[in-house]
């Protein structure tokens, strides 16, 4: 399918992304990425959301309330594993401070993570309140920085440098003209596959290569995690948002993920369509709105599969080599990848 003009999650109108990148000394390589479904007061103007858990070996604060209520009432934050509680606390403080929220007594902060402990001092929990606040306040529409930024600063994917990646797909007018945007925080392993080509094997870096007669290294392990955030302007109810989130797993699988025991893989999908927005000022006990039917979902499924696959590739292709915490993780060697794809007749 064609991409949106930015090929980013921000191709979905209203969505904003902000990031704080922390690179300090020899061992701090971490950060925060904030995804805002819209620029208003998220608590007062909520969006419907659905979560799919591919493998629950991770920490996704706020997920149970989203599952129960189907509503997202804060920006979505991504960060480092041990910084999730601090980021959630900072997000709650930020939301409580907003004009109009003076009487709010409960905030369901949504914070996801991947483990950046190979390149960063994860035990130090270096995320500070201003890092969260800055990521949210700096959020904007338009192009999104990818690679070694924000929550992707210290991540590793398939033994190469991972990071933040994004992509989008736009349905043709005959199918509604809707846009699906995806943003990922890649930090997982397996056998890197691009457009069907066994890139990881041909580069000599892949899961289980010891068992295949090669020398095993830490970077060849398949553990890790992947956070996938999906935005769409299609008017979807919570049930179909969950179904949409589930298809992100198919896109992740196309990249060669081994879905390992130690890989915490989560997808969060939300709709920005005005007709499905939830206003706390609405005191009515009933709602009437139009949403897409089940039969209209298949093109959106294809869009999120393609978008997730590309976003993961982009997270690696835009990343740079990083040294930190006593280790070095190389960026994916793009020239060699292009050569492999040409050999498999998958690129010009």
């Amino acid at each position: 399918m064609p991409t949106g003009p930015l090929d980013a999650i921000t191709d979905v109108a209203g969505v904003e992304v902000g990031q704080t990148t922390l690179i300090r000394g020899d061992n701090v390589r971490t950060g925060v990425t904030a995804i805002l479904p819209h620029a208003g007061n998220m608590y007062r103007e909520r969006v419907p959301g659905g979560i799919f858990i591919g493998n629950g070996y991770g920490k996704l604060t706020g997920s149970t309330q989203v599952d129960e209520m189907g509503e997202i009432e804060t920006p979505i934050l991504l960060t480092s594993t041990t910084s999730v509680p601090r980021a959630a606390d900072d997000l709650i403080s930020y939301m409580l401070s907003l004009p109009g929220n003076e009487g709010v007594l409960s905030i369901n902060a949504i914070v996801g993570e991947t483990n950046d402990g190979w390149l960063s001092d994860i035990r130090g929990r270096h995320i500070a309140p201003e890092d969260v606040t800055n990521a949210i306040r700096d959020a904007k529409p338009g192009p999104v920085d990818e690679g070694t930024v924000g929550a992707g600063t210290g991540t590793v994917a398939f033994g190469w440098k991972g990071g933040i990646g994004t992509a989008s797909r736009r349905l043709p007018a005959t199918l509604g003209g809707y846009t699906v945007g995806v943003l990922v925080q890649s930090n997982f392993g397996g056998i890197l596959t691009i457009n069907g080509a066994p890139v990881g094997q041909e580069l000599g870096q892949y899961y289980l290569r010891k068992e295949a007669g090669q020398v095993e290294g830490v970077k060849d392990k398949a553990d890790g995690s992947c956070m996938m955030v999906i935005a769409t302007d299609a008017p979807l109810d919570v049930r179909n948002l969950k179904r949409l989130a589930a298809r992100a797993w198919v896109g992740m699988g196309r990249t060669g993920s081994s879905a390992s025991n130690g890989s915490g893989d989560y997808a969060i999908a939300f709709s920005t369509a005005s007709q499905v927005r939830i206003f706390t000022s609405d005191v009515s006990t009933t709602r009437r709105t139009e949403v897409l039917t089940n039969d209209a979902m298949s093109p959106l499924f294809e869009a999120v599969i393609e978008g997730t696959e590309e976003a993961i590739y982009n997270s690696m292709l835009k990343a740079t080599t990083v040294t930190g915490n006593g280790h070095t993780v190389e960026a994916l060697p793009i020239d060699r990848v292009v050569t492999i794809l040409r050999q498999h007749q998958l690129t010009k």
Side-chain angles (χ1 to χ4, degrees):
M1 290 184 173
T3 70
L6 298 171
D7 196 17
I9 194 172
T10 47
D11 281 322
V12 178
V15 175
E16 300 184 345
V17 175
Q19 306 194 75
T20 300
T21 301
L22 300 182
I23 299 176
R24 298 177 187 149
D26 295 329
N27 64 351
V28 177
R29 307 288 186 269
T30 191
V32 179
T33 297
I35 302 97
L36 281 60
H38 62 76
N41 186 329
M42 286 289 303
Y43 184 85
R44 297 298 180 186
E45 191 174 341
R46 305 173 186 181
V47 296
I51 293 174
F52 177 78
I53 302 173
N55 187 49
Y57 190 80
K59 292 84 187 161
L60 179 53
T61 295
S63 62
T64 56
Q65 184 169 315
V66 175
D67 277 341
E68 184 70 23
M69 309 300 293
E71 300 176 1
I72 292 175
E73 61 186 42
T74 70
I76 299 166
L77 298 185
L78 306 178
T79 190
S80 170
T81 303
T82 56
S83 292
V84 167
R86 290 187 174 182
D89 183 59
D90 300 336
L91 177 55
I92 291 170
S93 296
Y94 172 83
M95 293 298 297
L96 291 175
S97 72
L98 293 179
N101 289 353
E102 292 81 2
V104 174
L105 302 179
S106 173
I107 294 286
N108 185 47
I110 302 176
V111 184
E113 54 79 31
T114 71
N115 190 310
D116 56 15
W118 183 249
L119 287 171
S120 190
D121 171 29
I122 197 169
R123 291 173 59 89
R125 294 173 290 166
H126 296 278
I127 300 300
E130 60 268 22
D131 299 321
V132 172
T133 301
N134 289 340
I136 297 171
R137 289 181 175 169
D138 291 345
K140 61 184 184 303
V144 176
D145 289 337
E146 298 176 275
T148 310
V149 294
T153 302
T155 63
V156 182
F158 298 103
W160 306 99
K161 185 66 188 72
I164 296 296
T166 190
S168 69
R169 293 295 185 272
R170 180 164 289 175
L171 272 60
T174 55
L175 295 174
Y178 302 115
T179 298
V180 174
V182 182
L183 183 143
V184 304
Q185 178 191 20
S186 65
N187 189 58
F188 62 99
I191 304 172
L192 177 60
T193 304
I194 299 180
N195 284 355
V199 173
Q201 286 180 277
E202 299 206 15
L203 290 177
Q205 187 159 280
Y206 55 93
Y207 180 48
L208 295 180
R209 68 172 182 165
K210 177 181 179 181
E211 286 72 11
Q214 305 297 319
V215 178
E216 184 180 27
V218 174
K219 293 187 294 181
D220 302 318
K221 295 186 181 300
D223 288 345
S225 298
C226 189
M227 287 296 310
M228 297 162 276
V229 180
I230 301 112
T232 184
D233 54 7
L236 302 182
D237 59 15
V238 172
R239 182 178 54 80
N240 271 326
L241 283 168
K242 288 182 179 179
R243 297 177 72 208
L244 189 69
R247 270 56 179 192
W249 182 258
V250 180
M252 182 178 168
R254 285 184 177 181
T255 68
S257 165
S258 291
S260 74
N261 174 70
S263 186
D265 306 310
Y266 299 81
I268 305 173
F270 61 85
S271 172
T272 64
S274 59
Q275 60 264 49
V276 296
R277 199 154 292 185
I278 304 125
F279 296 88
T280 58
S281 58
D282 185 359
V283 296
S284 174
T285 57
T286 62
R287 293 185 68 208
R288 181 176 297 176
T289 188
E290 291 186 356
V291 297
L292 294 186
T293 65
N294 293 339
D295 288 340
M297 291 301 298
S298 291
L300 294 169
F301 292 160
E302 178 63 29
V304 77
I305 291 167
E306 291 184 14
T308 303
E309 180 184 15
E310 187 198 337
I312 291 171
Y313 297 148
N314 289 344
S315 73
M316 301 177 68
L317 293 168
K318 296 292 288 186
T320 55
T321 297
V322 171
T323 296
N325 209 31
H327 306 116
T328 295
V329 178
E330 301 288 339
L332 188 66
I334 296 177
D335 290 345
R336 293 174 64 191
V337 170
V338 170
T339 298
I340 293 168
L341 295 179
R342 284 175 175 161
Q343 290 171 346
H344 288 264
Q345 298 181 335
L346 295 172
T347 190
K348 295 181 179 179

